[in-house]
């Protein structure tokens, strides 16, 4: 029986409605795994790359790592008395998010680098794990790690069951994502690629330690994604998955390789069950990549119609009036 | 039957002579893999990190990638007429290695960056593969990929058979090492970490390409090794293997973790079968790390006595008068 004909409990992609999107995924996997087939790809070459924010979990009202950074400003404030009078920290501590946002990209970078440096990598991991285990999304009241897309969890598992190595290639901070990626996605730390700051090896309390510096090493977005793939994986993915213009270069790089290739974009068009945004959104803008997907015949997930279920929890817990940002 | 009691064809470490060195390796692996044991380590945490030059293959008369770079100067000379009158390229083209060496570290960096940039990553991979498939070591007349240490090949395989993930963490160029690491060591590209230059994503001949820039991104040696491990693997190794002071920080980082840990240094003391060098060598200097290994009880491989066989080929092909540099 073909996988595409499986239903119910037999179906590894049970949260995907039947239709061309699901069919394109299954057809690709069957093509590259069919022994002796013209498009057969050896398991070691079956590299699949996934963006994270907006692709594996939600990114609204703003990417969840920003929520973490804002909370960390409060948690770290006693060690930084100067923040009481220094923007953008002053506004964060006053709960004045509008002023923070008015500070634009610069303010966000300030907050992110300040809250992601100064500690050892072990200390940071503990902070991120604690926050992820205890903090809830302001609108759904769910843990952030519950706001992952059930169809994408199934897709990750389906690909791995078919011999793929699944990598995360995201603009998110690599150490933040690693704090939950293995438990949540089944993706081990060494398969997580993200933005990172410089590290310094030094002795702290008589023990060797890696200290997170404030200096940014790489912002893993846009044209940096193919470069990061080359540096970390050293092989071109045969399949990649994203949701925004920041993923376009990765999808171009993936599909320009020889042999069977697969590219997928998630179109957030479901304001009832998740969020609806695309061409003019400041977060997860999907404009040029959508045009290119249409022109090149890449798979575009119509979230509203292609996903039987978005999250593993019930939709009813949502308050619909909060859902649009 | 304990692995340490196996002999002959049954022995996964047949090229290691019986003795305390071999015993320490087997004892460690048995400790961390024994289900229910106090030192048991789950497979996903069984990370082993290996230096390459001088640890997995020889590094004399100079690291093999330098031989590649010198040959590439000649191969690329027609595209660079200016090199005829420009040091250190002029000396390389004239076959005057002494003048090149007189140029010191700066000259080597010049040659390495010039020959490792300007092309796409695909083009570079093809160049490296071609060189590795055709070029022979000046003293042994063997392909460079034949100059790998048979006992270390067995050790890599033995660790993987026991659920370890084996990584290379080397000062060598990441893309050069990936050109042979999978076939030679069984280490896939995504498990190879090395020095690297910046990459630029651009369109060449209508196709997306990653172009190797001349700007160095990271020199993966010394205290950069623990940082690179954190960035790429995101987990601290429980075992690491090196041969020089450039590996000291990696071994410190490895052994400072909780639970059972293993650190090993290869001491090149076999001028008959390989080379003999340590504290005052300009290549692969082993001085501080040897002191620390002795003080902390790390395993030190006495190549002369611990290795039954160094290479897979016969020693007799050597010309002993060429062996000391």
């Amino acid at each position: 029986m073909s996988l595409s004909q499986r239903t119910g409990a037999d179906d590894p992609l049970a949260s995907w409605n039947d239709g061309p999107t699901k069919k394109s995924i299954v057809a690709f996997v069957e093509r590259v795994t069919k022994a002796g087939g013209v498009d057969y790809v050896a398991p070691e070459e079956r590299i699949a790359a996934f963006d994270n924010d907006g692709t594996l979990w939600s990114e609204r009202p703003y990417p969840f790592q920003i929520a973490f950074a804002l909370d960390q400003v409060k948690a770290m404030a006693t060690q930084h008395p100067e923040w009481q009078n220094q923007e953008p920290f002053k506004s964060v501590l006053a709960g004045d998010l509008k002023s923070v946002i008015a500070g634009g990209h610069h303010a966000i970078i300030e907050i992110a680098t300040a809250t992601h440096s100064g500690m050892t990598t072990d200390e940071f991991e503990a902070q991120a794990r604690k926050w992820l285990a205890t903090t809830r999304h302001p609108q759904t009241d769910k843990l952030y790690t519950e706001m992952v897309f059930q169809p994408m969890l199934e897709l990750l598992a389906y690909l791995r069951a078919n011999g793929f190595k699944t990598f995360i290639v995201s603009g998110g901070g690599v150490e933040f994502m690693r704090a939950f990626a293995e438990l949540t996605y089944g993706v081990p730390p060494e398969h997580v690629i993200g933005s990172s700051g410089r590290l310094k090896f030094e002795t702290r309390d008589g023990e060797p330690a890696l200290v997170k510096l404030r200096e940014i090493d790489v912002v893993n977005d846009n044209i940096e994604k193919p470069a990061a793939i080359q540096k970390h994986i050293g092989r071109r993915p045969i399949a990649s998955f994203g949701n925004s213009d920041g993923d376009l270069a990765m999808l171009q790089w993936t599909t320009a390789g020889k042999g069977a290739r697969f590219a997928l974009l998630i179109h957030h068009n479901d304001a009832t069950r998740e969020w609806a945004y695309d061409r003019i959104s400041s977060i997860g803008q999907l404009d040029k990549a959508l045009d290119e997907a249409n022109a090149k015949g890449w798979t575009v997930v119509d979230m509203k119609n292609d996903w039987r279920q978005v999250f593993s929890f019930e939709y009813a817990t949502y308050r619909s009036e909060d859902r649009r940002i």
Side-chain angles (χ1 to χ4, degrees), chain A residues 44-64:
Chain A
E44 61 269 24
E45 300 275 358
R46 292 181 202 156
I47 305 288
F50 289 81
D51 171 58
N52 184 42
D53 295 315
T55 298
L56 296 179
W57 70 357
S58 292
E59 57 183 345
R60 290 298 177 117
Y62 35 72
F64 298 166

Side-chain angles (χ1 to χ4, degrees), chain A residues 10 57 74 131 138 149 163 170-171 194 222 224 232 260 273 313 324:
Chain A
D10 276 345
W57 70 357
K74 294 166 200 160
W131 185 85
F149 303 134
S170 166
N222 218 309
E224 290 303 319
H232 285 251
R273 299 188 300 172
F313 54 84
R324 285 183 187 79

Side-chain angles (χ1 to χ4, degrees), chain A residues 17-273:
Chain A
N17 285 317
D18 291 329
T21 298
K22 181 175 182 174
K23 211 168 187 168
S24 73
I25 295 169
V26 173
F28 170 75
V29 171
E30 293 187 343
R31 273 171 73 197
V32 298
T33 56
K34 191 185 171 183
V38 287
D39 289 323
Y40 178 78
V41 176
E44 61 269 24
E45 300 275 358
R46 292 181 202 156
I47 305 288
F50 289 81
D51 171 58
N52 184 42
D53 295 315
T55 298
L56 296 179
W57 70 357
S58 292
E59 57 183 345
R60 290 298 177 117
Y62 35 72
F64 298 166
Q65 194 172 358
I66 293 179
F68 167 70
L70 294 171
D71 285 349
Q72 286 303 99
V73 170
K74 294 166 200 160
M76 294 165 75
T78 53
Q79 303 156 47
H80 293 276
E82 75 280 11
W83 285 355
Q84 300 294 339
N85 299 305
Q86 186 186 324
E87 291 295 359
F89 306 101
K90 185 180 168 183
S91 293
V92 176
L93 294 172
D96 178 6
L97 207 55
K98 274 190 186 161
S99 295
V100 176
I101 291 167
H105 186 67
H106 174 75
I108 298 297
I109 292 289
E110 271 286 296
I111 291 165
T113 55
T115 55
H116 288 63
S117 63
M119 68 292 285
T120 68
T121 51
D122 288 347
E123 287 164 356
F124 179 82
E125 183 183 337
Q127 290 167 6
R129 283 181 186 273
K130 185 182 169 191
W131 185 85
L132 287 160
T134 54
T135 314
R136 289 174 181 275
H137 188 276
Q139 288 153 286
T140 64
D141 202 35
K142 293 286 171 185
L143 293 176
Y144 287 99
T145 51
E146 291 178 283
M147 293 195 62
V148 300
F149 303 134
Q150 179 62 26
M152 297 306 284
L153 293 182
E154 293 170 7
L155 180 53
L156 284 165
Y158 171 62
L159 290 172
R160 288 193 294 262
N162 281 281
F164 281 76
K165 297 173 188 173
T166 54
F167 285 83
I168 292 173
V169 181
S170 166
V174 65
E175 288 166 325
F176 180 75
M177 294 188 289
R178 283 173 176 159
F180 69 95
E182 189 158 39
L183 202 62
T184 303
Y185 300 135
V187 176
E190 67 269 23
H191 285 187
V192 180
I193 303 166
S195 298
S196 59
R198 304 243 340 129
L199 299 173
K200 184 162 183 270
F201 183 75
E202 62 177 49
T203 301
R204 282 205 171 183
D205 305 324
E207 289 290 326
L210 283 168
V211 177
K212 287 170 70 65
L213 303 183
R214 200 152 164 167
E215 187 188 349
I216 293 172
D217 193 32
V218 62
V219 176
N220 187 38
D221 199 20
N222 218 309
I223 61 168
E224 290 303 319
K225 288 197 176 193
I229 286 169
Q230 174 66 14
K231 275 191 193 159
H232 285 251
I233 308 177
R235 267 189 174 125
R236 202 191 290 236
I238 63 167
S240 59
F241 304 83
N243 76 301
S244 77
D245 287 356
D247 301 312
L248 178 55
M250 176 167 79
L251 271 59
Q252 290 171 331
W253 178 240
T254 298
T255 53
K258 286 175 194 157
R261 302 281 155 167
F262 189 78
L264 180 149
L265 283 170
I266 292 166
H267 189 186
H268 292 261
N269 64 352
D270 191 337
T272 307
R273 299 188 300 172

